[in-house]
Amino acid sequence: MNREQILKEMGLGPIWKLRQPPKKQKGTATEAAISAPVDARTAAIAAMGWDELKQAVADCTACELCQKRKQAVLGIGDVAADWLFVGEGPGAEEDERGEPFVGQSGKLLDAMLAAIDLKRGNDVYIANSVKCRPPDNRAPEPAETAACWPFLARQIELIQPKLIITLGKPAAQTLLQQEVTISRARGQLHDFAGIPLIVTYHPAYLLRNLPDKAKAWEDLCFMRKTMQDLG
Ligand code: URA
Ligand code: SF4
């Protein structure tokens, strides 16, 4: 896909253009001062490497989402990525294939990434707030995102991204630990344990609310500018 096709895909037409090529630089990874483990399970997860993490998620029964999943979906991408995108939870196709954002939302997410010269797996890691599919495409409950949090916390610690992007409300609330309205929280730089964090809409929401795609584009430009400033 070339940029014009990508912007068309996003419903943005030809007026939006990136003015400069992205600057590629890798500095030292930000130290993620994730809070001390509080129980045995959290402590165990906090000490895991990638293989153990994958197995632990596959075997996890810590919340009721384990009951209807076909498989847990840990995440995908570059484990040394500067960019970490955090979605909500697997949908039907993700549950089937074991990879995040491979359905309709994923198509739009890939287009959004391409619009700022990013590519799945290339300096980008994609994860979700919950690793198992909520039935009937409902949003995960706070108790479920809380039960799943140690896994995401460990992923962040292992990856040490320079910038975290949350897609939609559950991810924003999980990481910011407060009630979040996307329209209010977007456009500002937040912080997760010393790592800059940007809140934006979930691609599935954008597919239903086309006018907000222009705002999503603003958010993409803000992300890109933020990463450039981080060097
Ligand atoms: N929506 C999400 O939030 N995550 C996925 O992996 C797929 C759709
Ligand atoms: Fe475990 Fe997370 Fe799946 Fe719940 S959603 S069963 S906490 S892996």
Side-chain angles (χ1 to χ4, degrees), residues 87-91 94 99-102 105-106 128 167 202:
E88 188 170 308
E94 290 76 20
E99 181 173 333
F101 284 102
V102 289
S105 299
N128 278 308
L167 305 165
H202 191 284

Side-chain angles (χ1 to χ4, degrees), residues 24 55 92 107 160 166 181-182 193 196 201 217 220:
K24 231 14 202 166
Q55 193 58 50
K107 223 177 127 216
Q160 302 214 352
T166 61
T181 311
I182 302 296
Y201 297 101
W217 177 248
L220 286 167

Side-chain angles (χ1 to χ4, degrees), residues 2-206:
N2 66 27
R3 172 156 296 132
E4 224 162 87
Q5 289 168 315
I6 290 156
L7 294 172
K8 190 158 160 275
E9 173 80 20
M10 289 180 68
L12 291 166
I15 45 165
W16 301 98
K17 290 247 160 56
L18 289 178
R19 295 215 167 80
Q20 314 156 267
K23 197 169 71 190
K24 231 14 202 166
Q25 263 184 32
K26 187 125 187 159
T28 50
T30 313
E31 272 297 309
I34 290 158
S35 57
V38 291
D39 60 37
R41 172 177 172 261
T42 308
I45 294 170
M48 286 176 182
W50 284 106
D51 292 346
E52 289 168 285
L53 206 52
K54 190 151 182 124
Q55 193 58 50
V57 159
D59 296 340
C60 182
T61 54
C63 85
E64 67 175 45
L65 295 183
C66 68
Q67 289 166 15
K68 293 194 174 158
R69 71 171 175 225
K70 285 198 179 134
Q71 60 185 314
V73 181
L74 176 63
I76 191 109
D78 183 348
V79 294
D82 284 346
W83 298 81
L84 172 64
F85 289 79
V86 184
E88 188 170 308
E93 290 188 58
E94 290 76 20
D95 182 58
E96 199 70 55
R97 287 176 48 190
E99 181 173 333
F101 284 102
V102 289
Q104 275 305 307
S105 299
K107 223 177 127 216
L108 181 53
L109 178 60
D110 285 337
M112 290 163 73
L113 293 175
I116 50 172
D117 293 314
L118 293 176
K119 214 166 112 192
R120 174 183 299 249
N122 188 357
D123 206 20
V124 171
Y125 191 93
I126 305 172
N128 278 308
S129 304
V130 290
K131 312 308 187 198
C132 304
R133 181 197 179 195
D136 309 315
N137 296 324
R138 68 164 170 81
E141 304 281 349
E144 293 158 353
T145 53
C148 214
W149 165 241
F151 293 125
L152 180 57
R154 185 60 183 152
Q155 286 175 294
I156 296 171
E157 210 162 39
L158 287 170
I159 297 166
Q160 302 214 352
K162 274 195 197 161
L163 182 59
I164 300 175
I165 312 296
T166 61
L167 305 165
K169 199 176 175 113
Q173 295 192 155
T174 301
L175 283 156
L176 295 176
Q177 287 296 297
Q178 61 187 48
E179 282 278 329
V180 170
T181 311
I182 302 296
S183 60
R184 275 193 230 134
R186 58 178 286 277
Q188 325 166 22
L189 207 50
H190 301 270
D191 173 274
F192 171 76
I195 304 172
L197 182 151
I198 291 173
V199 168
T200 190
Y201 297 101
H202 191 284
Y205 168 87
L206 295 173

